[in-house]
Amino acid sequence: MTERLQAPRGTFDVLPEDWDARTALEHRARDLLESAGYRRIETPAFEATELFARGVGEATDIVQKEMYSFDDGGGRSLTLRPEGTAPISRAYMEHGMHKLPAPVKLWYLGPFFRHERAQAGRYRQFWQVGAEALGSDDPALDAELIVLLHTLLDELGVRDLRLLLSSLGQPGAREAYRDQLKEYLHAHADRLSSDVRARIDLNPLRAFDADHPGTREVMKDAPRLIDHLDAADAEHFAHVRALLDKADIAYEIDPTLVRGLDYYTRTVFEFTSEALGAQSGVGGGGRYDGLVQMLGGPPTAGVGWAAGIERMLLAGAEAPHGAAPVELFVALDDGGRREDAFATVVAARRAGLHAEMELAGRSLKGQLKQADRLGARYVAILRAQEAELRDMSSAEQEPVVPDEGEDAVSPEAIVSAALRGLRGVA
Ligand code: ATP
Ligand code: MG
């Protein structure tokens, strides 16, 4: 026997029963973000590899080991997008959005790709919803975005939510701090994991992210960036915190929060949910004031977040689901013609009804059972010259009256009768 093909590891099919919850999430996100002035954008599923190498950072986990890169056949390397901020910054420049009144507020929802070890809540193709605001470094934008994600997670019923907050400062202060941290790490290199040790000079901040017990011990006493912010960065951070206090959003300052992307400056944050176990991050983001310039554009401030759809659904309240009930089911009895049934469903759908017809050759009894399974309100039973309309809730059955001057019952007459019943008109 030939081996049966399956979806690739780390991917999944979004089945019909999964869509109610996903659609509800999408509509919530859209309503919430659009009423705060964010407008939807969608960038291509793949981009030049260099966009991520430069934008996300050569030293990050994403660029070092998680990208799906391929040659496009013409010697150019492309990469399935692992995240949305670099592509949106690219699009912002490409479409001259820096000439628009600031801030430019954008949101997105779509699939992303990372070559990771697949497990619950961690996939190789997953969906994110995200929001970005470009062109302003006002701390009110950082706070606004955090409040929006908090509201979304709250509305979705995400359980045991925590907000971790920190500031990474700006490149100057960060460079000075990095040197200090490198020195500290080199002095304690023998107790670090080999992975962290190998990257001391490339990305010392990653050491804060490590699970390795020895490394964690060492990091307890490591110098903290948050204690080395310059005056302007410290003031920006204080503003963001004051605004979150005003909005009654609880947070914990976590000086070890580094996030996996190189482009962050100043504010960084992450929402976690205990409900997720090991993969506890549901969404996060931060400010990235240097990113657009790093990609060859003008100096541009930016701040944003991304949240994983699957993790939000895993950690959220169960959404009610089930197909919308059928309003009219068209059945065939002796003498009834399939083409009339077809014309009737078409007329019913044109009138805005959810209509279905018999398509599996069932007996009349079987058809009524099928209509019941579909939750049908009415069943039209077609015979040679006449038709009856059955009210499924009362089991009452009445003949459909032909239009004036006609012998046979037309599809329109059946639809009118069903509409009268659905609207409660006798
Ligand atoms: P993690 O620490 O779990 O690896 P991350 O820091 O790499 O997450 P981000 O790049 O900040 O995640 O992406 C934002 C959100 O996207 C995450 O909080 C998570 O909900 C979701 N996400 C990231 N990677 C995956 C994945 N491989 N599968 C499913 N969801 C993911
Ligand atoms: Mg990751």
Side-chain angles (χ1 to χ4, degrees):
M1 212 170 60
T2 329
E3 202 191 327
R4 238 196 319 176
L5 287 168
Q6 293 190 325
R9 174 186 292 281
T11 69
F12 52 86
D13 299 305
V14 182
L15 297 172
E17 57 266 35
D18 303 326
W19 278 106
D20 283 342
R22 284 182 171 257
T23 306
L25 193 163
E26 176 170 343
H27 288 171
R28 281 210 169 128
R30 185 195 60 201
D31 291 350
L32 185 73
L33 293 168
E34 302 225 328
S35 49
Y38 292 77
R39 298 180 65 211
R40 191 164 184 168
I41 184 167
E42 177 67 14
T43 59
F46 55 83
E47 298 267 0
T49 299
E50 198 194 339
L51 173 66
F52 302 111
R54 266 209 267 166
V56 176
E58 292 283 7
T60 60
D61 276 358
I62 290 184
V63 172
Q64 291 226 320
K65 50 189 188 199
E66 295 176 2
M67 298 211 296
Y68 281 99
S69 299
F70 56 96
D71 189 303
D72 74 347
R76 193 176 158 77
S77 177
L78 298 175
T79 293
L80 297 181
R81 59 181 187 182
E83 61 94 55
T85 306
I88 285 176
S89 299
R90 193 244 339 117
Y92 174 85
M93 295 185 291
E94 192 165 329
H95 301 284
M97 288 189 239
H98 55 281
K99 294 186 204 113
L100 297 174
V104 173
K105 294 176 165 188
L106 303 165
W107 74 278
Y108 60 91
L109 187 151
F112 292 84
F113 309 85
R114 295 184 193 176
H115 192 286
E116 304 206 63
R117 217 157 57 85
Q119 48 196 299
R122 188 178 296 287
Y123 309 100
R124 293 181 172 177
Q125 178 178 350
F126 57 98
W127 269 253
Q128 283 185 340
V129 57
E132 316 280 358
L134 291 119
S136 162
D137 66 359
D138 195 316
L141 274 177
D142 308 50
E144 166 180 295
L145 279 156
I146 292 172
V147 173
L148 286 168
L149 182 51
H150 180 271
T151 307
L152 180 63
L153 296 173
D154 196 49
E155 282 185 6
L156 295 170
V158 174
R159 289 158 288 154
D160 306 315
L161 204 57
R162 283 170 68 199
L163 168 57
L164 308 177
L165 185 69
S166 193
S167 174
L168 302 178
Q170 290 195 90
R174 212 152 127 193
E175 269 320 304
Y177 165 76
R178 276 166 71 104
D179 289 341
Q180 206 182 329
L181 181 61
K182 280 185 213 169
E183 212 172 290
Y184 176 83
L185 292 172
H186 280 300
H188 298 85
D190 54 327
R191 290 162 62 200
L192 302 173
S193 75
S194 54
D195 203 34
V196 168
R197 199 182 316 133
R199 285 199 283 169
I200 292 181
D201 291 309
L202 198 57
N203 192 358
L205 282 169
R206 278 293 275 114
F208 283 111
D209 252 1
D211 292 326
H212 178 255
T215 306
R216 294 185 77 100
E217 267 311 300
V218 171
M219 296 321 287
K220 272 191 192 150
D221 297 317
R224 307 184 322 170
L225 176 51
I226 204 162
D227 301 324
H228 292 79
L229 299 180
D230 71 22
D233 293 346
E235 192 190 339
H236 191 275
F237 191 43
H239 266 132
V240 174
R241 291 193 326 247
L243 294 171
L244 291 176
D245 292 339
K246 266 259 182 273
D248 280 325
I249 304 280
Y251 54 82
E252 296 156 49
I253 304 292
D254 180 356
T256 69
L257 188 64
V258 289
R259 316 233 4 101
L261 309 145
D262 271 1
Y263 50 59
Y264 287 118
T265 54
R266 295 188 159 175
T267 317
V268 284
F269 60 93
E270 180 161 36
F271 283 93
T272 65
S273 166
E274 295 299 318
L276 289 173
Q279 268 45 259
S280 67
V282 270
R287 184 162 274 289
Y288 48 88
D289 292 344
L291 177 59
V292 172
Q293 199 170 14
M294 220 147 78
L295 298 174
T300 307
V303 55
W305 51 254
I309 304 278
E310 293 76 28
R311 290 201 199 163
M312 285 193 278
L313 292 174
L314 270 172
E318 193 75 29
H321 59 78
V326 169
E327 290 168 300
L328 180 65
F329 185 90
V330 184
L332 292 172
D333 198 1
D334 294 339
R337 299 191 311 170
R338 290 178 54 76
E339 49 270 43
D340 292 336
F342 182 79
T344 305
V345 247
V346 169
R349 288 174 188 159
R350 283 188 181 144
L353 296 185
H354 179 182
E356 303 274 356
M357 66 182 275
E358 172 55 25
L359 291 167
R362 295 180 180 86
S363 67
L364 182 60
K365 200 170 149 210
Q367 294 178 66
L368 289 175
K369 212 164 144 188
Q370 169 67 358
D372 195 46
R373 269 197 292 264
L374 295 172
R377 267 291 276 130
Y378 286 96
V379 177
I381 303 168
L382 308 194
R383 303 202 183 84
Q385 289 288 311
E386 47 162 70
E388 281 190 318
L389 194 66
R390 182 184 177 90
D391 181 336
M392 293 295 279
S393 49
S394 63
E396 271 173 39
Q397 212 159 294
E398 286 191 12
V400 179
V401 184
D403 296 327
E404 254 185 56
E406 303 276 339
D407 291 339
V409 176
S410 69
E412 287 72 25
I414 296 170
V415 173
S416 298
L419 278 170
R420 276 197 301 278
L422 286 162
R423 290 180 187 143
V425 185

